[in-house]
Amino acid sequence: MTANIAALLLQHYVDNFRTLPWRSAPGAAAPDPYRVWLSEIMLQQTTVATVVPRFERFVQRWPDVAALAAAPAEAVMGEWAGLGYYARARNLIACAREVVKRGGFPDNSAALRDLPGIGRYTAAAIAAIAFGEDSAPVDTNVERVIARLNAVAGSRRVDIERRFLALAPAGRAGDFAQAMMDLGATICRPRAPKCNQCPLASGCAAYATGAAEAFPTRKRRPFRPQKYGTAWWIERGGRLWLTRRPSTGLLGGMAALPGGEWSAVKASSPAAIGHIQHIFTHFVLELTIERCEEPVGEGWWHPIDRLDEAGLPTVYRRAAKLALAAPEQSTAASFAAA
DNA sequence: AATTCGGGGGC
DNA sequence: GCCCCAGAATT
């Protein structure tokens, strides 16, 4: 049955694989390790649909790891703006420079694991896809597919890795992993799985129970507390005063509107331009935008008609859009905000 | 083992 | 509104 599952899944993959810009066709020569690495970092907790256009822009700007390693950090952070989880971009820069220093990407998961931003999953994925190693890239897709095949609520990571390696044909871990990911994204979905289209249904214990969706068990997101903050809108001669956030923590290293700390207490702001509500992973921010005349702290002037090139993360992009839409502003039309 | 990291899309 | 997404690093 094990060999049967692998054969069925790989054949389904050959017939239905998603063509993606970092991928090579099943059985074809391995793709460029740089592109595999970049895609895996971008895809961490981020959907394929979101990543594809961002990946294309990124590799057009920096086609190889040497070009990326030579780029200014601020340029890379700006290119990452809107993708979220900005530690990924900080680690991406550090990793690129380390790889160039070493003369290329390590070709095995153990060595890849030592690079910044490359964890257990990503190391295994790069090794399997770009270097043909029989490693076990266990992401949430693989975890879900294997949980359903065995009708178990959940398992420890190492046990899922063992299951994966027991299923994957030698030398084909890369295609097999991507086959599982495609299956997980299109058929063996978290909700409303399309078991009637699944090539593995006949060997699936969860399908046999008649309630495949119940596996694996999921956890509820904890309550999100409310926080409040202020951002300053400082405009002069068609330019806006921007600053850079500290290199660690939330939005670390990103361009931003200047402003104070965020707290659980809402401060009064009689002359505010307005405010936005922005949802982060573990809290909700109400950001008040206030006009201010003099520059605050360290920063730089950025042309307001090119604010979309400022590398602002989404919360500040939204704040800027609000300010530019405010009645007393005349520059609104020039900013193509998202 | 829990938390801290963003943001967007689907229902 | 809630859930989910090719997770990693830190505590």
Side-chain angles (χ1 to χ4, degrees):
Chain A
M1 178 48 83
T2 288
N4 194 23
I5 287 177
L8 289 169
L9 183 55
L10 279 172
Q11 185 56 50
H12 183 266
Y13 182 61
V14 167
D15 295 336
N16 301 280
F17 73 93
R18 295 179 291 176
T19 299
L20 299 170
W22 49 86
R23 238 184 208 180
S24 60
D32 178 2
Y34 169 69
R35 295 168 71 92
V36 174
W37 163 67
L38 177 63
S39 70
E40 291 297 343
I41 302 300
M42 281 191 172
L43 286 162
Q44 288 167 7
Q45 296 296 286
T46 309
T47 58
V48 168
T50 298
V51 166
V52 167
R54 303 299 301 259
F55 177 88
E56 298 280 26
R57 279 184 27 174
F58 200 101
V59 295
Q60 184 160 335
R61 186 166 179 180
W62 298 296
D64 53 53
V65 69
L68 179 57
E74 309 80 55
V76 179
M77 299 307 290
E79 187 62 42
W80 204 271
L83 268 176
Y85 286 163
Y86 298 101
R88 293 185 294 174
R90 302 195 296 270
N91 286 328
L92 192 81
I93 297 163
C95 184
R97 293 176 180 174
E98 176 65 23
V99 164
V100 166
K101 197 160 91 179
R102 295 188 188 196
F105 282 93
D107 65 355
N108 62 88
S109 58
L112 285 161
R113 181 68 184 77
D114 291 332
L115 292 167
I118 300 184
R120 193 175 180 84
Y121 161 77
T122 303
I126 298 170
I129 296 170
F131 298 115
E133 180 178 312
D134 287 323
S135 53
V138 175
D139 72 331
T140 57
N141 290 303
V142 173
E143 186 174 1
R144 184 172 58 256
V145 171
I146 289 183
R148 286 180 177 165
L149 283 174
N150 299 285
V152 295
S155 308
R156 296 196 319 247
R157 176 80 28 175
V158 290
D159 293 325
I160 306 173
E161 289 171 347
R162 269 196 287 275
R163 296 270 192 191
F164 179 94
L165 291 173
L167 288 172
R172 302 217 54 191
D175 282 339
F176 191 72
Q178 294 179 92
M180 280 217 171
M181 293 171 196
D182 278 21
L183 189 79
T186 61
I187 292 175
C188 196
R189 307 178 300 183
R191 288 177 289 188
K194 301 179 177 177
C195 298
N196 59 331
Q197 298 178 30
C198 182
L200 307 183
S202 67
C204 179
Y207 178 66
T209 71
E213 185 174 343
F215 304 92
T217 56
R218 2 199 210 278
K219 42 244 167 207
R220 222 188 280 94
R221 179 179 293 289
F223 170 74
R224 272 197 268 244
Q226 179 81 47
K227 290 189 182 182
Y228 301 90
T230 301
W232 301 106
W233 187 263
I234 307 162
E235 189 177 345
R236 179 178 296 176
R239 296 184 303 172
L240 185 68
W241 185 249
L242 297 180
T243 186
R244 190 163 299 280
R245 293 179 60 87
S247 58
T248 61
L250 189 75
L251 306 179
M254 297 300 288
L257 297 182
E261 297 295 308
W262 303 339
S263 80
V265 184
K266 183 177 169 66
S268 70
S269 49
I273 297 172
H275 58 85
I276 61 170
Q277 191 91 356
H278 189 79
I279 300 171
F280 290 99
T281 303
H282 56 288
F283 66 95
V284 177
L285 176 68
E286 182 181 304
L287 188 65
T288 300
I289 298 90
E290 288 196 56
R291 207 170 296 283
C292 180
E293 297 306 319
E294 294 301 316
V296 177
E298 298 291 313
W300 67 94
W301 293 104
H302 189 93
I304 290 189
D305 61 354
R306 292 214 305 272
L307 215 45
D308 52 343
E309 300 168 18
L312 292 172
T314 301
V315 60
Y316 292 115
R317 232 185 136 76
R318 293 184 55 209
K321 184 178 179 181
L322 172 71
L324 291 168
E328 54 268 52
Q329 285 300 313
S330 57
T331 48
S334 57
F335 177 45

